[in-house]
Amino acid sequence: MTMEERGLPAWSSVGWVLAALAPIIGGAVGAMEALVLVAATVVVMIVVGAIVLAVRPLVGIWGALSVSAFVAVALATIFSLYLDVNAPELAAALGVFVPLIAVNPLVLRQALLVELDAPGSLYARSLGAAAELVILAVAIGVVREIFADGTIFGAAIGDVGADAFGAPAFALFFAGLLVAAFRAVRKEGEPKGGETA
Amino acid sequence: MSDYLYVIVAAIIWQNIVLSALLGLTPFLTEARASLRNSLVIGLLTTVMLALAIAIVRIVDAVVLDPAGAGALVYLVHAVVVLALAAAVFSIRNRVSCPYVTPAVARAAGFETALIGLALIAAANAGNVGAAVVEAIGVGLGFTVVLLIVEGIRERLEWLKPASWLAGVPIQLIILGILALVFSGFQGI
């Protein structure tokens, strides 16, 4: 049964990773902030994923979704409080995007849960999603930091910065080009002659 | 009154949450081919659920959490409220025949309510419950407007048939980037 037949949206692999990435590219101009958000997201993803797999046989898919939502929000709240106390400058830079860490794993987990039933492939796809998330977030963070501030991970590389490149519009352009590049590379790697009329 | 009108117009145009904070992008990034009708239903349902969720969360925060010194639990309360609202939407949908609210539409609206609601609660711009609800309505309408514009452009793009590596998500993100530039031009008016 296809996902459309189930009444669920079909997600492209890069598409739903980008959906989770959107708050990150919107909130974090610098590579370091992006890395912190992605690291927190991946940790929450792992914990939430483990809990979902554990409780799903007991409480069903909707029970598992509810439990995982609570766990994700609780973890994001703890992370937010930790940043407020120990890294107030980073907490201020990340702003409203810190609690959205709770939502990112839910996007990814929903896509994984509805698409896959076999736990083995679920683990593989989860790892792949986490890897894509890290690559995309850091790539966007680095490029925006270079063009907006003229730095990489806070280290100055020259007077090349222009504030306009820190705007959300640039992040959207770059994200679009990045997905297009992913697709072009993936298409290039596909075996030829496999198409059907 | 004029303050509330300003908040709504600002949330729709130059402080549009989709174009200024890149929130609420999920419907744009799904491969499922939406339609203008679906976009409108998702947008309006999100607006209603967002206004209700923010009103309930702000009241609970003011009456229970703040006096008890448990303000950090506000996100958990939001999660409970959104889950309850989503369950209510599904329940109503099952009892009343409503062809416009498909499971995918209801799910997308519930998800966006959770996402945008979290951002609104974290930002805490509005001073009182009334102002917070007005802000939520403005943000929801802004989300609806962008959803409709992008869907309209996407339907026209199908005629142009862009290269396969550019079609779908990439071209939609680039269109959103252009829209973000256009809408930011209204800032300061």
Side-chain angles (χ1 to χ4, degrees):
Chain A
M1 183 184 284
T2 66
M3 293 172 71
E4 282 85 356
E5 284 167 343
R6 295 185 196 180
L8 296 165
W11 298 71
S12 70
S13 65
V14 175
W16 50 258
V17 169
L18 259 174
L21 192 65
I24 294 173
I25 58 181
V29 171
M32 183 55 77
E33 288 90 348
L35 203 54
V36 169
L37 278 175
V38 169
T41 300
V42 171
V43 169
V44 177
M45 268 176 73
I46 292 167
V47 175
V48 169
I51 290 172
V52 166
L53 285 175
V55 303
R56 192 181 169 189
L58 302 173
V59 294
I61 188 158
W62 286 105
L65 290 177
S66 304
V67 170
S68 61
F70 282 115
V71 172
V73 172
L75 288 174
T77 303
I78 292 168
F79 181 69
S80 174
L81 291 172
Y82 175 81
L83 278 187
D84 283 342
V85 173
N86 295 296
E89 286 181 7
L90 187 58
L94 297 175
V96 302
F97 296 93
V98 172
L100 299 179
I101 288 168
V103 182
N104 295 337
L106 301 182
V107 182
L108 298 171
R109 187 235 43 231
Q110 183 183 0
L112 293 168
L113 267 185
V114 297
E115 193 175 353
L116 302 161
D117 294 323
S121 55
L122 182 65
Y123 293 134
R125 287 294 296 270
S126 298
L127 284 174
E132 277 184 315
L133 194 66
V134 171
I135 292 168
L136 285 169
V138 174
I140 291 174
V142 165
V143 169
R144 288 185 80 188
E145 197 179 327
I146 290 172
F147 285 102
D149 300 334
T151 59
I152 295 181
F153 287 99
I157 57 164
D159 189 18
V160 295
D163 287 344
F165 289 111
F170 179 73
L172 286 163
F173 284 137
F174 184 65
L177 294 175
L178 208 57
V179 179
F182 262 66
R183 281 213 183 147
V185 169
R186 189 172 292 178
K187 203 173 175 60
E188 197 76 17
E190 281 175 2
K192 297 206 179 344
E195 291 177 4
T196 53
Chain B
M1 187 65 192
S2 61
D3 287 349
Y4 286 164
L5 192 62
Y6 176 83
V7 167
I8 289 180
V9 174
I12 292 174
I13 303 178
W14 59 87
Q15 289 174 3
N16 192 300
I17 204 157
V18 180
L19 302 175
S20 66
L22 310 189
L23 298 178
L25 285 178
T26 317
F28 304 107
L29 298 170
T30 55
E31 291 290 335
R33 292 298 96 190
S35 64
L36 277 172
R37 190 190 71 182
N38 277 358
S39 301
L40 185 63
V41 176
I42 290 174
L44 294 180
L45 195 56
T46 303
T47 305
V48 173
M49 289 174 72
L50 195 58
L52 285 172
I54 292 294
I56 295 168
V57 170
R58 290 297 296 262
I59 289 170
V60 171
D61 189 29
V63 174
V64 181
L65 298 181
D66 249 5
L73 296 179
V74 69
Y75 300 129
L76 279 172
V77 173
H78 176 65
V80 174
V81 171
V82 172
L83 280 171
L85 284 173
V89 168
F90 273 95
S91 174
I92 293 169
R93 189 191 155 275
N94 289 339
R95 286 163 194 264
V96 182
S97 175
C98 185
Y100 299 129
V101 184
T102 63
V105 164
R107 198 168 285 113
F111 176 74
E112 291 313 328
T113 304
L115 177 71
I116 299 173
L118 271 179
L120 287 180
I121 292 167
N125 292 324
N128 55 46
V129 177
V133 172
V134 169
E135 184 188 28
I137 291 171
V139 166
L141 291 176
F143 170 66
T144 310
V145 166
V146 177
L147 211 56
L148 288 173
I149 292 174
V150 172
E151 182 53 29
I153 294 173
R154 190 195 62 75
E155 285 187 2
R156 286 177 182 271
L157 273 175
E158 283 184 356
W159 293 88
L160 294 173
K161 299 196 186 309
S164 60
W165 50 270
L166 196 58
V169 172
I171 194 77
Q172 285 188 33
L173 285 169
I174 291 168
I175 289 168
L176 278 170
I178 295 168
L179 275 178
L181 276 180
V182 171
F183 275 51
S184 65
F186 290 104
Q187 203 158 14
I189 289 178

